């Protein structure tokens, strides 16, 4: 067969890089960047390794069933679906629909149909127990937006900012807080234009190295630091007074609560110079346009991610970082209904304690979804409605859910654990059934996720200008394999259980979105037919997007921010009572020192070559298959340790092995180590091949965000035991 080159976009991470895929003998053999107006020919090493990822020796080519002795044997996919249908049917009959839970991980993203079809299935069985990785990531973003209200026009975001503040986010590696495209080029061009960069991170990250001001603060003090910045801005009169007067409530309440957070007191506490805090506040507030964005670190570092995200929104609001009447909307969405823009606030709304309740710790559903960190207890707590079955799609609870000890106990306690995965992940090793899934190049797709990111958080990611790309399936699954598209699994399962499914449109929460489409349960639709349903009502018809074989811009010159309606009563709220009460409790003088018994704090971090636990294979890790424990060189010298030394990290909860490495830019007293590694059997062989699970050191129940249930996952008190 001749070699052909087809265009597509990479679905390994959310950055949607346009690619050219060389296909030989029906297999992808090479991936290179495609020139494009959006990404400027950018790809990363992971994307270019896509042929190796999809054809790797560890790729799962057949579904698996667990046998009585705990090992797995291949099973025909259709047979597995019939058996799962049968088991689910009996569990629902015996324990009710709530006994069936679903968890979607980061790999929901390669296929836009995965999540909507999962939801259609959960609707059909009538279970509210739907969990995602969002509540162990940055759940505060969505909850805080609920409490604060949203501006019904764009934020400045990536649209020609003069200032950017990154709080514990490292976009140059994670592509979080950078627009679609090359993150390095975005930052370089921003700096070259005179843009000023503020980074707050205990580690001198690649991004911090390019900053105008790097506040190398202690972890876990982000709420206090943000309060100090707000205090300086309001005290100096640098706020956007007119915007606040017209559109915002709670200014006086905020002013009162942030007043005790002086730069001196907060600087002393967080280990930074008061003068640097003041400088950062001045730079941020005196810029014309800008954004602030928080990453995972501050969301995980003190069990108060919602408060941190709320104060980040407040910072942008106080500085008026919003499009005004007459401004053009550069990205009104493409594969979703047109987002109308008006220079006015949509008011705060209930954001937590809504919908289904968890039976432990008073936790419940929130705008960020059900609290994933509480699902293990929900599984292990006897009583009516107890979760007995869990379907995991593109996630890896066994190594990434906080509190691995509790998680493994819960996963082992389930009567039915099903995973949809592409390899025998750590979670799959515990599953009753593992459904071998098709991979991205084998399924059609489009950049719906990029549009949905517009609603996620200010300046989180996405296209700056309206753009979209469709890709057909480029290759067939490997010969002799028996793999299934994730959405089809749910379609087949529903058929088998005699259920009817209704598919919601991609942005079903938007006004103007069509009602759910009843699916023909006697038919076997194609992925392309399903994508049509999902894009119903889109601003640009799917046919038009399909007509371009690469990413294209779909501007709408007529989309301009309309003026505020006359007598529009609503305002953004920067004085939310619950948030301010939580902040008040952190005021200087009310601080308590905790965990003095632990010498170090363990920080979360991301690695260039990985995506959480996915694709730890030679083509991506190039021999670096374990997660090293990075230390400041002075700390290592004091401990008498050198690179490669074996240690034990000990928290109040558990201990894990680690291998030492030096990171000169890390603040003393911290260890920086990636999650998503390790095994489930606690063996030396697992450590040698896959490193260790930092989630084992975490407790889900000690320190946690009371709105999302997200526990302390960074800044975790640990001691170091030298073992050799
Ligand atoms: N200690 C600590 N814990 C953390 C974090 C941290 O910073 N520190 N970060 C948290 C965050 S932000 C997140 S998002 C979560 C991640 O939580 P998860 O999403 O649950 O974990 P991933 O490791 O991303 O899991 C991806 C799984 O999908 C599989 N996979 C890969 N490609 C495909 C595909 O095409 N189809 C299917 N069906 N499966 C596929 C992979 O093999 C892997 O098993 O972890 C959280 N946990
Ligand atoms: N290459 C790569 N890219 C990824 C991923 C990956 O695994 N690899 N994962 C993806 C996922 S799921 C997500 S959610 C995003 C996450 O993207 P980011 O949020 O940018 O995640 P990190 O790169 O870990 O950066 C977090 C930073 O927070 C700092 N930090 C830790 N604790 C604290 C604290 O208490 N306060 C402050 N101020 N800083 C702190 C850490 O030192 C670290 O530099 O990345 C996505 N992109
Ligand atoms: S940044 Fe890398 S992994 Fe992400 S979409 Fe682009 S090429 Fe793929
Ligand atoms: Mo994440």
């Amino acid at each position: 067969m001749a070699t052909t080159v087809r265009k597509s976009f990479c679905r390994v991470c959310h950055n949607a890089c346009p690619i050219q895929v060389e296909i030989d003998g029906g297999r992808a053999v090479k991936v290179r960047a495609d020139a494009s107006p959006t990404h400027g020919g950018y790809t990363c090493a992971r994307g270019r390794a896509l042929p190796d990822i999809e054809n790797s020796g560890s790729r799962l080519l057949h579904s698996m069933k667990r046998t009585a002795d705990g090992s797995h044997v291949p099973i025909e996919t259709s047979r597995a679906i019939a058996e799962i249908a049968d088991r689910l049917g009996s569990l629902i009959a015996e324990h009710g629909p709530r006994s069936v839970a679903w968890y979607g991980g980061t790999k929901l993203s390669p296929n836009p149909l995965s999540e909507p079809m999962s939801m259609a299935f959960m609707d059909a069985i009538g279970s509210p127990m739907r969990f995602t990785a969002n509540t162990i990531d940055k759940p505060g973003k969505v909850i805080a937006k609920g409490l604060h209200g949203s501006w019904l026009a764009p934020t400045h975001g990536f649209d020609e900012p003069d200032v950017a503040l990154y709080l514990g986010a490292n976009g140059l590696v994670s592509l979080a807080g950078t627009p679609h495209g090359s993150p390095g080029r975005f930052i370089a061009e921003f700096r070259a234009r005179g843009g000023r960069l503020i980074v707050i991170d205990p580690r001198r990250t690649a991004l911090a190295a390019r900053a105008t001001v790097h506040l190398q603060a202690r972890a876990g003090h982000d709420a206090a630091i943000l309060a100090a910045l707000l205090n300086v801005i309001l005290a100096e009169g640098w706020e956007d007074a007119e915007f606040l007067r017209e559109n915002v409530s709670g200014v006086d309440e905020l002013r009162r609560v942030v007043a005790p957070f002086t730069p001196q007191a907060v600087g002393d506490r967080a280990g930074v110079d008061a003068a640097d805090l003041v400088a950062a506040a001045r730079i941020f507030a005196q810029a014309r346009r800008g954004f602030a964005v928080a990453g995972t670190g501050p969301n995980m570092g003190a069990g108060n991610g919602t408060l941190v995200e709320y104060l980040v929104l407040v910072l942008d609001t106080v500085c008026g970082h919003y499009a005004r009447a007459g401004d053009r909307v550069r990205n009104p969405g493409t594969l979703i209904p047109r987002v109308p823009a008006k220079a006015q606030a949509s008011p705060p709304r209930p954001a937590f304690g809504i919908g289904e309740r968890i039976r432990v710790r008073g936790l419940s559903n929130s705008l960020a979804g059900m609290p994933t960190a509480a699902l293990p207890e929900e599984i292990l707590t006897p009583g009516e409605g107890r979760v007995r079955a869990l379907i995991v799609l593109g996630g890896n609870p066994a190594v990434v859910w906080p509190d691995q000890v509790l998680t493994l106990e819960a996963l082992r306690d389930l009567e039915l654990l099903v995973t949809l995965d592409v390899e025998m992940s750590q979670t799959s090793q515990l599953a009753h059934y593992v459904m071998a899934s098709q991979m991205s190049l084998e399924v059609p797709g489009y950049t719906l996720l990029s549009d949905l990111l517009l609603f996620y958080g200010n300046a989180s990611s996405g296209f700056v200008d309206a753009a979209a790309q469709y890709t057909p399936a480029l290759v067939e699954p490997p010969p002799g394999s028996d793999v299934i598209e994730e959405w089809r699994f749910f379609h087949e399962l529903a058929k088998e259980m005699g259920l009817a499914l209704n598919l919601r449109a991609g942005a079903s929460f938007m006004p103007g979105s069509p009602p759910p489409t009843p699916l023909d349960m006697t038919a076997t639709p194609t992925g392309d037919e399903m994508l049509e349903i999902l894009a119903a009502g889109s601003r640009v018809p799917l046919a038009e997007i399909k007509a371009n074989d690469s990413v294209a811009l779909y501007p709408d010159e007529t989309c301009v921010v309309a003026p505020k309606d006359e007598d529009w009563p609503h305002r953004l709220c920067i004085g939310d009572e619950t948030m301010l009460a939580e902040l008040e409790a952190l005021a200087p003088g009310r601080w308590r020192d905790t965990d003095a018994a632990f010498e170090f704090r363990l920080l979360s971090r991301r690695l260039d070559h990985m995506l959480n636990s996915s694709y730890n294979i030679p083509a991506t890790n190039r021999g670096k298959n374990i997660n090293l424990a990075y230390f400041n060189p002075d700390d290592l010298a004091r401990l008498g340790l050198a690179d490669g030394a074996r240690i034990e990290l000990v928290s109040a909860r558990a201990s894990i092995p680690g291998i030492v490495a030096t990171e000169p830019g890390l603040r003393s007293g911290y260890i920086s180590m990636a999650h998503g590694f390790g095994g489930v059997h606690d063996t030396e062989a697992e450590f040698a091949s896959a490193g260790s699970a930092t989630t084992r050191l975490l407790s889900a129940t000690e320190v946690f965000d009371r709105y999302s249930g997200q526990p302390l996952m960074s800044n975790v008190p640990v001691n170091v035991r030298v073992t050799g």
Side-chain angles (χ1 to χ4, degrees):
M1 229 184 282
T3 301
T4 52
V5 176
R6 309 264 318 263
K7 294 191 175 197
S8 185
F9 66 92
C10 175
R11 288 169 270 177
V12 170
C13 88
H14 60 277
N15 200 39
C17 298
I19 53 174
Q20 295 182 6
V21 184
E22 201 173 299
I23 298 163
D24 191 6
R27 289 167 75 121
V29 292
K30 193 168 175 58
V31 161
R32 65 177 82 88
D34 190 20
S36 76
T38 53
H39 289 66
Y42 175 78
T43 54
C44 80
R46 291 171 307 173
R48 293 190 299 274
L50 203 48
D52 298 296
I53 287 174
E54 301 215 349
N55 301 311
S56 100
S58 51
R59 163 98 192 256
L60 201 55
L61 297 177
H62 297 272
S63 296
M64 304 294 263
K65 179 182 180 174
R66 198 168 88 187
T67 60
D69 69 2
S71 64
H72 286 84
V73 292
I75 177 172
E76 219 176 288
T77 293
S78 55
R79 169 106 202 257
I81 293 173
E83 292 186 11
I84 295 166
D86 197 45
R87 288 293 298 128
L88 284 176
S90 344
L91 286 172
I92 293 170
E94 198 180 334
H95 304 290
R98 194 187 190 274
S99 67
V100 180
W102 171 90
Y103 169 73
T106 58
K107 287 297 166 178
L108 280 177
S109 66
N111 191 333
L113 289 163
S114 295
E115 206 246 1
M117 276 299 273
S118 301
M119 292 308 98
F121 178 78
M122 295 301 279
D123 287 347
I125 63 170
S127 172
M129 303 301 273
R130 308 149 190 211
F131 298 79
T132 69
N134 190 33
T135 44
I136 50 170
D137 185 334
K138 300 173 287 290
K141 276 201 199 305
V142 215
I143 302 174
K145 214 180 215 185
L147 299 173
H148 168 273
S150 328
W151 190 239
L152 292 172
T155 58
H156 290 167
F158 306 126
D159 186 5
E160 304 193 355
D162 303 311
V163 71
L165 185 153
Y166 288 86
L167 184 70
N170 184 22
L172 289 184
V173 166
S174 66
L175 299 103
T178 55
H180 279 4
S182 157
R185 202 171 304 145
F186 170 72
I187 294 296
E189 287 173 2
F190 165 71
R191 297 289 279 125
R193 269 201 339 265
R196 312 238 259 160
L197 177 62
I198 302 164
V199 174
I200 304 175
D201 197 309
R203 184 159 66 101
R204 190 168 171 79
T205 57
L207 188 65
R210 287 161 180 73
T212 317
V213 179
H214 174 205
L215 297 175
Q216 196 163 12
R218 294 194 182 103
H221 296 293
D222 300 286
I225 291 172
L226 291 165
L229 297 177
L230 286 163
N231 180 24
V232 173
I233 292 169
L234 292 170
E236 300 293 331
W238 296 329
E239 73 275 18
D240 186 336
E242 192 192 329
F243 184 77
L244 294 182
R245 208 166 33 244
E246 290 292 317
N247 300 297
V248 180
S249 68
V251 184
D252 294 338
E253 292 85 339
L254 178 78
R255 199 185 280 280
R256 180 182 61 77
V257 173
V258 298
F261 291 84
T262 62
Q264 195 60 55
V266 172
D268 287 350
R269 179 72 184 183
V272 290
D273 268 357
D276 288 344
L277 274 173
V278 175
R282 178 183 299 126
I283 291 171
F284 191 76
Q286 294 187 347
R288 207 175 43 93
R289 300 173 65 82
F291 66 84
V293 65
T296 44
N299 274 272
M300 298 175 173
N304 63 359
T306 302
L307 175 63
V308 168
E309 290 287 357
Y310 184 75
L311 295 172
V312 167
L313 286 175
V314 170
L315 199 56
D316 266 334
T317 298
V318 162
C319 296
H321 288 160
Y322 297 101
R324 308 299 163 89
D327 290 351
R328 195 170 86 78
V329 178
R330 287 179 67 176
N331 187 359
T334 307
L335 278 157
I336 54 175
R338 175 175 158 147
V339 183
K342 242 178 212 180
Q344 62 192 30
S346 99
R349 58 188 174 128
F352 57 87
I354 48 178
E356 187 68 17
R357 300 199 80 78
I358 287 281
R359 295 173 305 139
V360 295
R361 293 189 279 138
L363 292 166
S364 66
N365 190 40
S366 72
L367 293 180
M370 295 287 281
T372 294
L375 184 49
E377 292 159 90
E378 178 61 60
I379 291 168
L380 291 167
T381 307
E384 207 178 324
R386 177 182 185 187
V387 169
R388 297 284 77 214
L390 175 64
I391 303 173
V392 174
L393 198 172
N396 201 354
V399 290
V400 307
W401 281 6
D403 207 328
Q404 194 196 32
V405 176
L406 203 59
T407 299
L408 294 183
E409 192 187 337
L411 294 177
R412 290 187 167 115
D413 191 69
L414 287 166
E415 289 179 43
L416 178 65
L417 174 59
V418 178
T419 61
L420 290 87
D421 209 306
V422 298
E423 53 184 59
M424 281 305 282
S425 67
Q426 294 89 335
T427 307
S428 299
Q429 290 170 33
L430 304 174
H432 298 95
Y433 295 91
V434 185
M435 307 306 302
S437 302
Q438 282 181 231
M439 295 192 78
S440 62
L441 296 175
E442 299 154 8
V443 301
Y446 49 44
T447 51
L448 174 65
L449 175 67
S450 307
D451 282 336
L452 297 180
L453 284 168
L454 291 174
F455 301 91
Y456 172 51
N458 296 352
S460 54
S461 178
F463 291 113
V464 180
D465 290 292
Q469 183 166 7
Y470 161 84
T471 174
L474 296 192
V475 296
E476 292 292 326
S481 65
D482 174 21
V483 291
I484 187 165
E485 264 182 276
E486 291 101 340
W487 70 265
R488 190 182 295 285
F489 166 79
F490 291 98
H491 196 253
E492 295 293 320
L493 188 61
K495 275 195 205 169
E496 201 62 59
M497 294 174 74
L499 300 168
L501 299 183
N502 295 291
L503 184 67
R504 294 186 217 165
S508 54
F509 55 87
M510 283 180 69
S513 188
T517 305
L519 300 180
D520 178 354
M521 299 308 291
T522 59
T524 307
T526 65
D528 274 306
E529 285 163 1
M530 301 291 285
L531 288 173
E532 292 281 351
I533 299 176
L534 203 63
S538 61
R539 180 178 68 84
V540 179
L542 182 54
E544 202 180 311
I545 294 164
K546 278 184 164 180
N548 286 313
D549 73 344
S550 186
V551 68
L553 299 175
Y554 300 91
D556 179 352
E557 300 300 334
T558 67
C559 195
V560 169
V561 180
K564 183 164 156 173
D565 289 340
E566 243 173 74
D567 303 326
W568 181 257
H570 302 301
R571 287 167 171 265
L572 302 173
C573 173
I574 62 173
D576 179 79
E577 260 179 52
T578 315
M579 290 291 102
L580 291 192
E582 196 178 334
L583 180 60
E584 230 170 352
L586 297 174
R590 302 177 72 174
W591 281 325
R592 283 173 299 124
D593 262 319
T594 49
D595 302 310
F598 293 89
E599 193 185 355
F600 287 95
R601 297 290 180 271
L602 180 73
L603 300 177
S604 61
R605 78 174 295 138
R606 259 122 197 102
L607 300 176
D608 247 329
H609 62 277
M610 295 273 294
L611 196 78
N612 304 312
S613 72
S614 283
Y615 318 133
N616 191 9
I617 56 172
T620 53
N621 67 34
R622 300 189 186 279
K624 288 195 217 155
N625 55 322
I626 74 164
N627 50 341
L628 299 172
Y630 289 95
F631 284 79
N632 171 289
D634 297 339
D635 289 340
L636 282 188
R638 195 166 38 77
L639 293 170
L641 291 172
D643 280 14
R646 169 83 181 251
I647 54 167
E648 202 76 30
L649 297 153
V650 188
S651 74
R653 182 81 173 114
S655 69
I656 57 167
I659 300 285
V660 162
T662 311
E663 177 153 350
L666 183 64
R667 193 181 163 111
S668 171
Y670 290 88
I671 304 168
S672 170
M673 196 169 172
H675 68 287
F677 289 77
V680 293
H681 304 296
D682 208 9
T683 63
E684 197 52 33
E686 274 179 337
F687 174 58
S689 66
S692 46
T694 54
T695 46
R696 201 172 182 79
L697 300 172
L698 312 179
S699 161
T701 53
E702 293 290 316
V703 178
F704 59 92
D705 184 274
R706 59 191 94 152
Y707 319 103
S708 67
Q710 181 176 36
L712 194 73
M713 296 168 69
S714 182
N715 192 31
V716 182
V718 290
N719 279 322
V720 172
R721 202 185 289 147
V722 179
T723 53

